[in-house]
Amino acid sequence: MYIFDQGRFLDESEVSVSVRNKGLNYGLGCFEGIRAFWNESQKQLFVFRLFDHYKRFYESGNSLNLRIPYSSMDLFRWTIHLLKINSIREDVYIRPICINGENTLHPDLSSSFNRVFIYCTDISYISKPALKVSVSSWTRIGSNMIPPQTKPTGGYLNSALASTEAKLNGFDEAIFLTKDGNVSEGATENIFIVKNKQLITPPISDDILAGITRDTVMRLVNHELKLPIFEKSLSRTELYSADEVFFTGTAIGIKPIIQIDRRVIGKGLEGPITKEIRSRYDHIVRGNNMNYIGYCTPVY
Ligand code: PMP
């Protein structure tokens, strides 16, 4: 596999980072998680919302004071080139990451030497069709701790603590509450509930990442399903009494949640609205819905 490293496309064996690297030592970096989807009938690979992912990448860098040393147009072009030279002809996950490139000890973000890598990877491990989850004992990071609307490498210790706790307790994933006790999101997913044919998802002010899948789902629910959808703070009890609950995310797609803290949600199966959204989302990301074709960048 080729990897993008500082303007060059190198074989994976040639890419290295020093153990002294400040980004590695303190988690000083930011990243994105992008996906490309293979369309078998068109023999085409489409990258989904590439521009929006790079927009969020720069917003992360800016909020963290971490200067990304290339323009978004360059990263856009290099991402397409990377997929081509790796001859990707299947669904793939793309990870751009910018880290502090210095090898000195003091933990600060204002370095003038930052490194950018982009690599592709398989994510077929997320195969469970429906999840049993738990509310975490860990609180979601808040705006005065680590900016929650960014994707900082170090911030994912918060997600990893919650996810690990959930898995050690026999659940598939964790749900975070905010410091005020509102529902925030999953460890690496946004959350939606369906109640009486209305959809509700927590607002940005409840310390969520402004997910790109979340945004796509809000648009498709509005325009295609014509169901009411609201951004509103949710209590833990509203989760338990929802008709349907699902996660959204680039890696996970649309994923039904059938149990929370051992309470059965709805009928304990994927609900009809979740199923409809999941199937329409799959059409959209593969470039099969012309209303959303602007979101899909062709590679070949
Ligand atoms: N929240 C967190 C903390 C995440 O890491 C992710 C994955 N990027 C999401 C939500 C979902 O965001 P997106 O739909 O943009 O992948």
Side-chain angles (χ1 to χ4, degrees):
M1 272 275 191
Y2 288 105
I3 290 185
F4 173 86
D5 173 3
Q6 306 287 101
R8 296 170 304 167
F9 294 87
L10 302 178
D11 186 76
E12 189 153 358
S13 59
E14 297 171 69
V15 178
S16 68
V17 175
S18 165
V19 290
R20 297 176 193 274
N21 173 264
K22 200 186 277 193
L24 174 68
N25 278 259
Y26 302 116
L28 306 183
C30 66
F31 67 92
E32 261 308 314
I34 309 173
R35 253 179 109 175
F37 296 85
W38 178 246
N39 184 313
E40 180 56 32
S41 58
Q42 295 180 35
K43 301 278 181 251
Q44 179 59 276
L45 186 69
F46 288 110
V47 190
F48 192 60
R49 300 192 67 168
L50 183 55
F51 183 78
D52 296 314
H53 279 284
Y54 276 123
K55 188 162 173 274
R56 192 170 66 184
F57 192 45
Y58 281 83
E59 284 167 7
S60 289
N62 190 46
S63 296
L64 297 170
N65 247 325
L66 182 87
R67 199 184 64 84
I68 298 171
Y70 302 107
S71 74
S72 59
M73 272 329 285
D74 281 342
L75 292 179
F76 195 102
R77 277 192 302 114
W78 289 330
T79 302
I80 302 292
H81 185 66
L82 184 71
L83 292 165
K84 278 188 184 154
I85 60 172
N86 281 315
S87 308
I88 305 287
R89 286 188 163 71
E90 58 189 350
D91 294 1
V92 72
Y93 186 84
I94 306 153
R95 166 60 51 85
I97 179 166
C98 177
I99 58 167
N100 184 307
E102 290 181 354
N103 291 343
T104 54
L105 217 49
H106 187 66
D108 72 85
L109 283 150
S110 57
S111 155
S112 55
F113 176 48
N114 294 328
R115 297 179 65 178
V116 174
F117 304 94
I118 311 173
Y119 64 86
C120 302
T121 184
D122 167 48
I123 45 163
S124 51
Y125 67 92
I126 309 172
S127 55
K128 274 203 168 176
L131 305 182
K132 297 178 180 176
V133 307
S134 61
V135 172
S136 188
S137 73
W138 297 95
T139 301
R140 171 74 178 151
I141 48 173
S143 251
N144 292 324
M145 305 169 189
I146 294 175
Q149 277 87 58
T150 64
K151 287 182 75 68
T153 53
Y156 277 77
L157 181 55
N158 184 230
S159 300
L161 284 166
S163 211
T164 306
E165 177 190 60
K167 282 172 191 153
L168 290 176
N169 288 332
F171 298 99
D172 299 313
E173 184 55 299
I175 296 173
F176 276 126
L177 304 181
T178 65
K179 63 181 186 327
D180 301 321
N182 296 331
V183 174
S184 180
E185 60 177 353
T188 56
E189 308 86 9
N190 292 114
I191 194 164
F192 286 76
I193 71 161
V194 181
K195 183 76 183 174
N196 300 330
K197 296 202 170 13
Q198 292 191 346
L199 285 96
I200 306 173
T201 191
I204 304 289
S205 52
D206 280 336
D207 297 335
I208 65 161
L209 180 75
I212 289 171
T213 320
R214 173 183 180 272
D215 182 70
T216 308
V217 165
M218 290 177 72
R219 181 171 163 192
L220 96 80
V221 167
N222 252 319
H223 291 97
E224 310 244 322
L225 301 187
K226 309 226 182 295
L227 290 175
I229 182 158
F230 304 102
E231 291 176 272
K232 182 181 96 55
S233 290
L234 283 172
S235 68
R236 186 172 181 163
T237 318
E238 285 174 288
L239 283 185
Y240 296 151
S241 60
D243 300 331
E244 301 178 32
V245 182
F246 61 91
F247 275 149
T248 64
T250 298
I252 208 165
I254 314 298
K255 191 68 82 174
I257 294 173
I258 53 171
Q259 266 189 34
I260 304 175
D261 295 336
R262 305 193 196 283
R263 287 135 173 105
V264 174
I265 303 302
K267 297 197 167 72
L269 299 166
E270 178 177 40
I273 294 177
T274 308
K275 194 169 179 184
E276 185 67 30
I277 293 170
R278 190 166 56 78
S279 113
R280 287 181 189 252
Y281 179 76
D282 191 65
H283 259 70
I284 290 171
V285 294
R286 276 174 217 287
N288 287 327
N289 182 332
M290 285 306 119
N291 294 332
Y292 295 80
I293 200 68
Y295 282 167
C296 306
T297 304
V299 172
Y300 298 110

